[in-house]
Protein backbone atom coordinates (compact mmCIF):
# COMPACT_ATOMS: atom_id res chain seq x y z
CA UNK A 1 0.00 0.00 0.00
CA UNK A 2 2.83 2.38 0.83
CA UNK A 3 4.36 1.69 -2.58
CA UNK A 4 1.05 2.44 -4.29
CA UNK A 5 0.78 5.74 -2.42
CA UNK A 6 4.36 6.63 -3.31
CA UNK A 7 3.74 5.82 -6.97
CA UNK A 8 0.48 7.81 -6.94
CA UNK A 9 2.52 10.95 -6.33
CA UNK A 10 3.54 10.73 -9.97
CA UNK A 11 1.04 8.28 -11.51
CA UNK A 12 -2.06 9.76 -9.89
CA UNK A 13 -5.43 8.17 -9.21
CA UNK A 14 -5.28 4.97 -11.34
CA UNK A 15 -2.66 3.40 -9.09
CA UNK A 16 -4.70 4.06 -5.95
CA UNK A 17 -7.92 2.77 -7.47
CA UNK A 18 -6.18 -0.43 -8.56
CA UNK A 19 -5.06 -1.39 -5.06
CA UNK A 20 -7.90 -0.04 -2.91
CA UNK A 21 -10.15 -3.13 -3.25
CA UNK A 22 -7.37 -5.20 -1.66
CA UNK A 23 -6.69 -2.84 1.24
CA UNK A 24 -7.39 -3.41 4.92
CA UNK A 25 -9.86 -1.09 6.63
CA UNK A 26 -7.03 1.05 7.99
CA UNK A 27 -5.31 1.39 4.64
CA UNK A 28 -8.64 2.06 2.94
CA UNK A 29 -8.89 5.28 5.00
CA UNK A 30 -5.40 6.31 3.89
CA UNK A 31 -5.99 5.47 0.24
CA UNK A 32 -9.27 7.38 0.19
CA UNK A 33 -7.54 10.40 1.73
CA UNK A 34 -4.93 10.30 -1.02
CA UNK A 35 -7.62 9.99 -3.71
CA UNK A 36 -9.31 13.05 -2.25
CA UNK A 37 -6.00 14.90 -2.22
CA UNK A 38 -5.57 14.18 -5.93
CA UNK A 39 -8.96 15.68 -6.73
CA UNK A 40 -11.28 12.65 -6.70
CA UNK A 41 -14.61 14.27 -5.80
CA UNK A 42 -16.09 10.87 -4.88
CA UNK A 43 -13.56 10.49 -2.07
CA UNK A 44 -13.75 11.95 1.41
CA UNK A 45 -10.92 13.98 2.86
CA UNK A 46 -9.17 12.79 6.03
CA UNK A 47 -11.36 12.85 9.14
CA UNK A 48 -9.58 13.59 12.41
CA UNK A 49 -11.51 11.02 14.46
CA UNK A 50 -10.69 8.26 11.95
CA UNK A 51 -6.99 9.06 12.06
CA UNK A 52 -7.04 9.34 15.83
CA UNK A 53 -8.57 5.87 16.07
CA UNK A 54 -5.86 4.45 13.80
CA UNK A 55 -3.19 5.98 16.03
CA UNK A 56 -4.81 4.46 19.12
CA UNK A 57 -5.01 1.06 17.40
CA UNK A 58 -1.34 1.16 16.43
CA UNK A 59 -2.00 1.42 12.68
CA UNK A 60 0.88 3.84 12.44
CA UNK A 61 1.62 3.88 8.72
CA UNK A 62 -1.91 4.44 7.41
CA UNK A 63 -2.44 6.97 10.19
CA UNK A 64 0.71 8.81 9.13
CA UNK A 65 -0.47 8.90 5.53
CA UNK A 66 -3.82 10.39 6.56
CA UNK A 67 -2.11 12.95 8.76
CA UNK A 68 0.21 14.03 5.94
CA UNK A 69 -2.75 14.59 3.63
CA UNK A 70 -4.57 16.56 6.33
CA UNK A 71 -1.62 18.78 7.18
CA UNK A 72 -1.05 19.53 3.50
CA UNK A 73 -4.72 20.51 3.30
CA UNK A 74 -4.25 22.82 6.29
CA UNK A 75 -1.17 24.40 4.73
CA UNK A 76 -2.82 25.33 1.43
CA UNK A 77 -5.97 26.44 3.28
CA UNK A 78 -3.91 28.55 5.72
CA UNK A 79 -5.93 26.83 8.44
CA UNK A 80 -3.54 27.14 11.35
CA UNK A 81 -5.84 25.60 13.94
CA UNK A 82 -6.25 22.53 11.79
CA UNK A 83 -2.50 22.40 11.21
CA UNK A 84 -1.92 22.49 14.95
CA UNK A 85 -4.30 19.68 15.87
CA UNK A 86 -3.09 17.37 13.09
CA UNK A 87 0.53 18.12 14.01
CA UNK A 88 -0.23 17.20 17.62
CA UNK A 89 -1.73 13.92 16.46
CA UNK A 90 1.34 13.28 14.31
CA UNK A 91 3.52 13.73 17.40
CA UNK A 92 1.85 10.66 18.94
CA UNK A 93 3.23 8.38 16.21
CA UNK A 94 6.42 6.35 16.70
CA UNK A 95 9.64 8.12 15.78
CA UNK A 96 10.85 7.59 12.20
CA UNK A 97 13.27 9.52 9.97
CA UNK A 98 10.41 10.72 7.76
CA UNK A 99 8.29 11.53 10.77
CA UNK A 100 11.03 13.71 12.24
CA UNK A 101 11.38 15.70 9.03
CA UNK A 102 7.62 15.95 8.60
CA UNK A 103 7.09 17.12 12.17
CA UNK A 104 9.86 19.71 11.89
CA UNK A 105 8.38 20.99 8.62
CA UNK A 106 4.94 21.41 10.22
CA UNK A 107 6.49 23.30 13.12
CA UNK A 108 8.31 25.52 10.63
CA UNK A 109 5.11 26.33 8.74
CA UNK A 110 3.37 27.30 11.99
CA UNK A 111 6.34 29.38 13.12
CA UNK A 112 6.52 31.20 9.80
CA UNK A 113 2.85 32.16 10.03
CA UNK A 114 3.57 33.54 13.50
CA UNK A 115 5.94 35.97 11.80
CA UNK A 116 9.16 34.19 12.68
CA UNK A 117 12.04 33.26 10.42
CA UNK A 118 12.45 29.56 11.27
CA UNK A 119 16.08 28.58 11.56
CA UNK A 120 17.57 25.54 9.90
CA UNK A 121 15.22 25.31 6.94
CA UNK A 122 18.10 24.73 4.54
CA UNK A 123 19.29 21.85 6.75
CA UNK A 124 15.74 20.50 6.96
CA UNK A 125 15.53 20.53 3.17
CA UNK A 126 18.76 18.53 3.00
CA UNK A 127 17.40 16.08 5.57
CA UNK A 128 14.32 15.56 3.40
CA UNK A 129 16.55 14.92 0.40
CA UNK A 130 18.68 12.46 2.36
CA UNK A 131 15.67 10.27 3.25
CA UNK A 132 14.38 10.41 -0.33
CA UNK A 133 11.31 12.56 0.39
CA UNK A 134 11.40 14.57 -2.84
CA UNK A 135 7.95 16.09 -2.27
CA UNK A 136 9.07 17.41 1.12
CA UNK A 137 12.17 18.94 -0.46
CA UNK A 138 9.93 20.95 -2.78
CA UNK A 139 7.49 21.96 -0.05
CA UNK A 140 10.25 23.11 2.29
CA UNK A 141 11.82 25.13 -0.53
CA UNK A 142 8.41 26.76 -1.13
CA UNK A 143 8.17 27.60 2.58
CA UNK A 144 11.67 29.10 2.47
CA UNK A 145 10.52 31.29 -0.40
CA UNK A 146 7.49 32.55 1.53
CA UNK A 147 9.65 33.30 4.55
CA UNK A 148 12.24 35.14 2.48
CA UNK A 149 9.55 37.27 0.83
CA UNK A 150 7.91 38.10 4.16
CA UNK A 151 11.24 39.18 5.64
CA UNK A 152 12.16 41.46 2.77
CA UNK A 153 14.36 39.35 0.49
CA UNK A 154 12.48 39.14 -2.83
CA UNK A 155 15.55 37.99 -4.77
CA UNK A 156 16.04 34.98 -2.50
CA UNK A 157 12.28 34.33 -2.57
CA UNK A 158 12.29 34.30 -6.36
CA UNK A 159 15.27 31.97 -6.56
CA UNK A 160 13.76 29.51 -4.07
CA UNK A 161 10.28 29.52 -5.63
CA UNK A 162 11.65 28.98 -9.13
CA UNK A 163 13.85 26.13 -7.89
CA UNK A 164 10.94 24.49 -6.07
CA UNK A 165 8.76 24.73 -9.18
CA UNK A 166 11.48 23.31 -11.39
CA UNK A 167 12.23 20.40 -9.04
CA UNK A 168 8.57 19.43 -8.82
CA UNK A 169 8.16 19.59 -12.58
CA UNK A 170 11.28 17.52 -13.28
CA UNK A 171 10.25 14.90 -10.71
CA UNK A 172 6.63 14.86 -12.01
CA UNK A 173 5.07 15.61 -8.61
CA UNK A 174 1.86 17.54 -9.27
CA UNK A 175 0.82 18.41 -5.71
CA UNK A 176 4.16 19.92 -4.66
CA UNK A 177 4.27 21.66 -8.04
CA UNK A 178 0.92 23.33 -7.36
CA UNK A 179 2.18 24.67 -4.02
CA UNK A 180 5.50 25.80 -5.48
CA UNK A 181 3.78 27.65 -8.31
CA UNK A 182 1.25 29.34 -6.04
CA UNK A 183 4.19 30.63 -4.03
CA UNK A 184 5.99 31.66 -7.22
CA UNK A 185 2.89 33.58 -8.33
CA UNK A 186 2.74 35.31 -4.95
CA UNK A 187 6.37 36.34 -5.32
CA UNK A 188 5.83 37.58 -8.88
CA UNK A 189 2.92 39.71 -7.74
CA UNK A 190 4.80 41.10 -4.77
CA UNK A 191 7.75 42.24 -6.88
CA UNK A 192 5.50 44.09 -9.32
CA UNK A 193 4.58 41.57 -12.01
CA UNK A 194 0.89 40.82 -11.33
CA UNK A 195 0.28 39.86 -14.96
CA UNK A 196 2.78 37.01 -14.59
CA UNK A 197 1.18 35.98 -11.30
CA UNK A 198 -2.28 35.92 -12.90
CA UNK A 199 -0.98 33.83 -15.78
CA UNK A 200 0.58 31.25 -13.43
CA UNK A 201 -2.47 31.00 -11.18
CA UNK A 202 -4.95 30.87 -14.06
CA UNK A 203 -3.10 27.85 -15.44
CA UNK A 204 -3.04 26.19 -12.00
CA UNK A 205 -6.76 26.72 -11.50
CA UNK A 206 -7.47 24.48 -14.46
CA UNK A 207 -5.72 21.46 -12.92
CA UNK A 208 -5.28 21.89 -9.15
CA UNK A 209 -7.69 20.09 -6.78
CA UNK A 210 -10.39 22.06 -5.01
CA UNK A 211 -8.40 22.33 -1.77
CA UNK A 212 -6.17 24.88 -3.52
CA UNK A 213 -9.04 27.03 -4.79
CA UNK A 214 -9.07 29.55 -1.94
CA UNK A 215 -5.42 30.49 -2.30
CA UNK A 216 -5.67 30.51 -6.08
CA UNK A 217 -8.72 32.79 -6.01
CA UNK A 218 -7.07 35.16 -3.56
CA UNK A 219 -3.95 35.44 -5.69
CA UNK A 220 -6.08 36.11 -8.76
CA UNK A 221 -7.99 38.89 -7.01
CA UNK A 222 -4.80 40.52 -5.76
CA UNK A 223 -3.26 40.25 -9.23
CA UNK A 224 -6.23 42.14 -10.67
CA UNK A 225 -7.90 39.12 -12.33
CA UNK A 226 -11.23 39.52 -10.57
CA UNK A 227 -13.29 37.85 -13.31
CA UNK A 228 -11.07 34.76 -13.34
CA UNK A 229 -11.18 34.57 -9.54
CA UNK A 230 -14.99 34.64 -9.68
CA UNK A 231 -14.92 31.77 -12.18
CA UNK A 232 -12.68 29.70 -9.91
CA UNK A 233 -14.94 30.24 -6.90
CA UNK A 234 -18.03 29.41 -8.95
CA UNK A 235 -16.57 26.19 -10.30
CA UNK A 236 -15.54 24.97 -6.87
CA UNK A 237 -18.86 25.98 -5.32
CA UNK A 238 -20.60 23.68 -7.80
CA UNK A 239 -18.31 20.67 -7.27
CA UNK A 240 -16.69 20.91 -3.80
CA UNK A 241 -18.43 23.60 -1.74
CA UNK A 242 -16.66 22.59 1.49
CA UNK A 243 -13.40 23.84 -0.03
CA UNK A 244 -14.79 27.37 0.15
CA UNK A 245 -15.12 27.25 3.95
CA UNK A 246 -11.38 27.44 4.65
CA UNK A 247 -9.83 30.64 6.02
CA UNK A 248 -8.10 31.60 2.79
CA UNK A 249 -11.19 30.81 0.69
CA UNK A 250 -13.33 32.96 2.99
CA UNK A 251 -10.80 35.77 2.58
CA UNK A 252 -10.82 35.42 -1.21
CA UNK A 253 -14.61 35.53 -1.39
CA UNK A 254 -14.69 38.55 0.91
CA UNK A 255 -12.19 40.36 -1.34
CA UNK A 256 -14.40 39.64 -4.33
CA UNK A 257 -17.43 40.97 -2.45
CA UNK A 258 -15.50 44.05 -1.40
CA UNK A 259 -14.48 44.92 -4.93
CA UNK A 260 -17.94 44.17 -6.30
CA UNK A 261 -19.44 46.51 -3.69
CA UNK A 262 -16.87 49.15 -4.57
CA UNK A 263 -17.90 48.92 -8.19
CA UNK A 264 -21.58 49.33 -7.34
CA UNK A 265 -20.90 52.14 -4.88
CA UNK A 266 -22.20 50.32 -1.79
CA UNK A 267 -19.84 51.67 0.84
CA UNK A 268 -21.31 49.81 3.83
CA UNK A 269 -21.15 46.44 2.07
CA UNK A 270 -17.63 47.21 0.89
CA UNK A 271 -16.41 48.00 4.41
CA UNK A 272 -18.09 44.90 5.83
CA UNK A 273 -16.54 42.65 3.19
CA UNK A 274 -13.16 44.30 3.67
CA UNK A 275 -13.32 43.53 7.38
CA UNK A 276 -14.17 39.88 6.66
CA UNK A 277 -11.25 39.66 4.24
CA UNK A 278 -8.93 41.05 6.90
CA UNK A 279 -10.11 38.94 9.84
CA UNK A 280 -10.25 35.60 7.98
CA UNK A 281 -6.46 35.38 7.95
CA UNK A 282 -5.48 37.27 11.09
CA UNK A 283 -3.88 34.12 12.50
CA UNK A 284 -1.14 34.40 9.89
CA UNK A 285 1.28 37.31 10.17
CA UNK A 286 2.41 36.59 6.61
CA UNK A 287 -1.06 37.26 5.24
CA UNK A 288 -2.00 39.86 7.84
CA UNK A 289 1.03 41.94 6.93
CA UNK A 290 -0.03 41.82 3.30
CA UNK A 291 -3.63 42.76 4.13
CA UNK A 292 -2.47 45.73 6.19
CA UNK A 293 -0.34 46.91 3.27
CA UNK A 294 -3.40 47.14 1.00
CA UNK A 295 -5.48 50.30 0.70
CA UNK A 296 -8.30 50.22 3.26
CA UNK A 297 -11.89 49.65 2.16
CA UNK A 298 -13.27 52.81 0.65
CA UNK A 299 -9.88 54.10 -0.49
CA UNK A 300 -10.20 55.58 -4.00
CA UNK A 301 -7.46 53.34 -5.40
CA UNK A 302 -9.62 50.33 -4.60
CA UNK A 303 -12.83 51.73 -6.01
CA UNK A 304 -11.44 53.30 -9.18
CA UNK A 305 -11.01 50.12 -11.23
CA UNK A 306 -11.72 47.07 -9.08
CA UNK A 307 -11.70 44.52 -11.91
CA UNK A 308 -8.30 45.25 -13.36
CA UNK A 309 -6.21 47.18 -10.86
CA UNK A 310 -3.80 44.80 -9.05
CA UNK A 311 -3.60 45.05 -5.29
CA UNK A 312 0.08 45.04 -4.40
CA UNK A 313 1.60 43.68 -1.24
Amino acid sequence: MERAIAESRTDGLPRLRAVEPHASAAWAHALEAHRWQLGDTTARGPVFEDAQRLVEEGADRPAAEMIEVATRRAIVAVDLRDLERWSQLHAQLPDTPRGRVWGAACEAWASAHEGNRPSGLDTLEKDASRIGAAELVVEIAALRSLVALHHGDPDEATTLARRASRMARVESMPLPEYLANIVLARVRRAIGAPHLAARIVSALARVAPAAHAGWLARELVLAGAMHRATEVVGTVRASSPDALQTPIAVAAQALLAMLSSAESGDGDAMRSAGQRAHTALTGSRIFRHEAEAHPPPGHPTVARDPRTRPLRA
Side-chain angles (χ1 to χ4, degrees):
M1 295 302 160
E2 290 175 278
R3 180 178 177 182
I5 288 173
E7 291 174 351
S8 77
R9 294 186 176 111
T10 56
D11 295 341
L13 289 170
R15 181 65 174 138
L16 295 177
R17 288 173 175 152
V19 301
E20 193 164 5
H22 310 289
S24 66
W27 277 107
H29 282 301
L31 292 168
E32 183 177 26
H34 275 278
R35 285 197 293 111
W36 172 87
Q37 180 178 235
L38 290 170
D40 186 345
T41 57
T42 68
R44 185 176 65 161
V47 176
F48 186 83
E49 290 74 19
D50 290 341
Q52 189 174 44
R53 186 175 65 255
L54 294 185
V55 172
E56 293 169 353
E57 293 172 354
D60 301 328
R61 287 309 307 149
E65 294 291 347
M66 289 184 70
I67 292 168
E68 288 192 14
V69 171
T71 49
R72 283 194 171 99
R73 174 179 62 188
I75 286 167
V76 299
V78 195
D79 191 335
L80 304 183
R81 291 182 180 178
D82 213 34
L83 177 61
E84 180 180 13
R85 69 169 185 156
W86 283 99
S87 297
Q88 289 173 348
L89 184 60
H90 181 271
Q92 299 176 32
L93 293 172
D95 182 53
T96 64
R98 182 183 178 90
R100 285 193 295 273
V101 174
W102 185 265
C106 289
E107 290 176 4
W109 277 100
S111 178
H113 280 293
E114 290 170 358
N116 302 319
R117 191 162 197 163
S119 61
L121 286 180
D122 53 343
T123 301
L124 186 62
E125 188 179 323
K126 292 174 184 175
D127 290 343
S129 179
R130 189 178 63 252
I131 64 171
E135 73 283 4
L136 272 173
V137 173
V138 173
E139 290 161 351
I140 294 167
L143 171 59
R144 292 177 64 194
S145 175
L146 279 178
V147 169
L149 183 65
H150 180 64
H151 290 276
D153 193 345
D155 292 339
E156 178 71 1
T158 302
T159 298
L160 287 165
R162 290 181 64 187
R163 182 166 65 84
S165 175
R166 185 171 59 251
M167 285 191 294
R169 185 174 63 254
V170 168
E171 295 292 334
S172 299
M173 297 183 296
L175 290 171
E177 187 175 2
Y178 301 150
L179 175 63
N181 281 314
I182 293 173
V183 171
L184 179 59
R186 181 181 174 85
V187 173
R188 294 296 194 205
R189 174 174 57 78
I191 64 176
H195 61 292
L196 296 179
R199 187 182 305 167
I200 293 169
V201 179
S202 292
L204 286 175
R206 289 191 287 269
V207 294
H212 299 71
W215 198 344
L216 293 172
R218 186 176 185 274
E219 288 300 325
L220 285 166
V221 174
L222 297 181
M226 183 178 173
H227 179 69
R228 183 71 180 105
T230 302
E231 289 179 342
V232 169
V233 170
T235 299
V236 173
R237 182 175 288 119
S239 61
S240 305
D242 288 350
L244 296 180
Q245 305 304 312
T246 65
I248 200 161
V250 170
Q253 293 169 92
L255 280 174
L256 284 169
M258 183 185 80
L259 296 180
S260 178
S261 299
E263 186 177 32
S264 65
D266 189 338
D268 290 341
M270 180 176 61
R271 283 184 286 274
S272 176
Q275 184 62 30
R276 293 197 306 275
H278 178 76
T279 57
L281 294 170
T282 51
S284 167
R285 288 187 179 271
I286 290 176
F287 286 92
R288 188 173 72 195
H289 171 79
E290 181 178 57
E292 290 169 351
H294 293 156
H299 192 283
T301 58
V302 174
R304 186 179 299 125
D305 190 3
R307 289 175 298 177
T308 58
R309 182 181 180 88
L311 300 180
R312 299 245 332 255

